[in-house]
Amino acid sequence: MSGLLAGRRVLVTGVLLDSSIAFHTARLAQEEGAEVLLTGFGRLSLVERVARRLPKPAPVIELDVTDEEHLTRLPERIGEYTDGLDGIVHSIAFAPPDALGGTFLDTPWSSVATAVEVSAYSLKSLTRSCLPLFGPRGGSVVGLTFDSTVAWPAYDWMGVAKAALESTSRYLARDVGPRGVRCNLVAAGPIRTMAATSIPGFSRFRDIWAERAPLGWDVTDPEPTGRAVVALLSDWFPRTTGEVVHVDGGVHAMGA
């Protein structure tokens, strides 16, 4: 079997619909030779139905990243399908409605804590749970983020959570590097997924990218982001870790 990920075993989280970045990452990973497993939370029947739309049906494991029992049992559940892992894709984020939409000053700590735990701390939780499954050759953890170097309209505490995610990735890179495991993030431009369209004012992001992306940007096309994730999962970045790779048409580099 040929391909960038030939013979690799990859766990992809966060697949809900076939419009998601996670779904297209899983599809591309399979096309590049990987054995793919998915995790889902809540509507598992929906995730299982979407999994059947991949080039090869993929098993779905239930995972709530805030549930310690789920995390403890995850290696055992993965072991039902494969004997180890070479890569993890973290595509998990959530913020309660009152943490988004322009009410930054009024958001209670309980909502902020949820956003940070699910969207940032979970990168550590997931990696730590799966670390024993990486073999002597190590592997790669890749998470998805949204540029957190500036304050965006309506993004509010999710922006703070993404900043925490980026810092978490750097510390993970430090601590898992000696085991040969890399940890990087891909900062994607706005993609019209179910999660994105639940953000109040999402259309403003679309307008910003339409005006400022020197390479142009298609909010309906997750594939460029998925390709970057697959590349970081592969051996083509053997000494890159703690990095944030932007796939946003170049908006992050433009002043105005």
Side-chain angles (χ1 to χ4, degrees):
M1 181 182 294
S2 61
L4 282 178
L5 300 181
R8 299 304 173 97
R9 302 149 300 176
V10 177
L11 181 72
V12 180
T13 66
V15 173
L16 185 58
L17 299 175
D18 56 10
S19 60
S20 68
I21 296 172
F23 174 85
H24 286 272
T25 297
R27 173 181 63 80
L28 290 163
Q30 285 188 341
E31 291 173 356
E32 291 296 331
E35 175 188 356
V36 171
L37 293 82
L38 308 179
T39 73
F41 172 63
R43 290 172 284 183
L44 279 188
S45 60
L46 177 59
V47 180
E48 289 166 350
R49 185 162 66 246
V50 170
R52 291 193 287 271
R53 298 175 188 167
L54 290 167
K56 297 178 182 178
V60 177
I61 298 169
E62 183 178 18
L63 176 64
D64 175 357
V65 289
T66 68
D67 186 321
E68 194 59 39
E69 183 179 351
H70 279 210
L71 291 163
T72 300
R73 292 190 59 224
L74 183 58
E76 177 187 343
R77 295 296 315 280
I78 292 171
E80 295 172 10
Y81 303 101
T82 188
D83 59 357
L85 286 178
D86 303 287
I88 300 170
V89 178
H90 179 278
S91 181
I92 300 170
F94 172 76
D98 61 354
L100 299 161
T103 58
F104 185 86
L105 292 176
D106 299 319
T107 304
W109 166 245
S110 58
S111 295
V112 174
T114 297
V116 172
E117 180 180 14
V118 177
S119 308
Y121 184 78
S122 65
L123 179 66
K124 188 279 297 187
S125 301
L126 178 65
T127 302
R128 184 174 183 272
S129 176
C130 294
L131 202 55
L133 298 174
F134 286 97
R137 67 179 178 182
S140 176
V141 179
V142 185
L144 290 165
T145 189
F146 187 79
D147 183 71
S148 66
T149 59
V150 297
W152 293 101
Y155 209 45
D156 292 3
W157 288 100
M158 182 56 84
V160 175
K162 290 298 188 183
L165 175 68
E166 293 180 15
S167 184
T168 300
S169 178
R170 289 188 287 271
Y171 280 96
L172 271 176
R174 180 196 68 184
D175 286 2
V176 302
R179 300 185 62 155
V181 177
R182 295 167 282 125
C183 188
N184 296 287
L185 299 179
V186 174
I191 299 293
R192 191 182 293 135
T193 62
M194 187 176 75
T197 54
S198 68
I199 300 172
F202 175 77
S203 60
R204 298 174 68 182
F205 290 92
R206 179 190 60 210
D207 295 342
I208 290 168
W209 258 256
E211 294 171 2
R212 295 177 53 191
L215 289 176
W217 187 254
D218 182 354
V219 297
T220 67
D221 184 11
E223 183 156 330
T225 304
R227 285 178 176 269
V229 175
V230 168
L232 286 167
L233 288 170
S234 78
D235 289 336
W236 283 95
F237 287 85
R239 291 294 178 265
T240 298
T241 196
E243 187 61 85
V244 179
V245 176
H246 287 81
V247 181
D248 65 351
V251 167
H252 74 284
M254 300 298 107

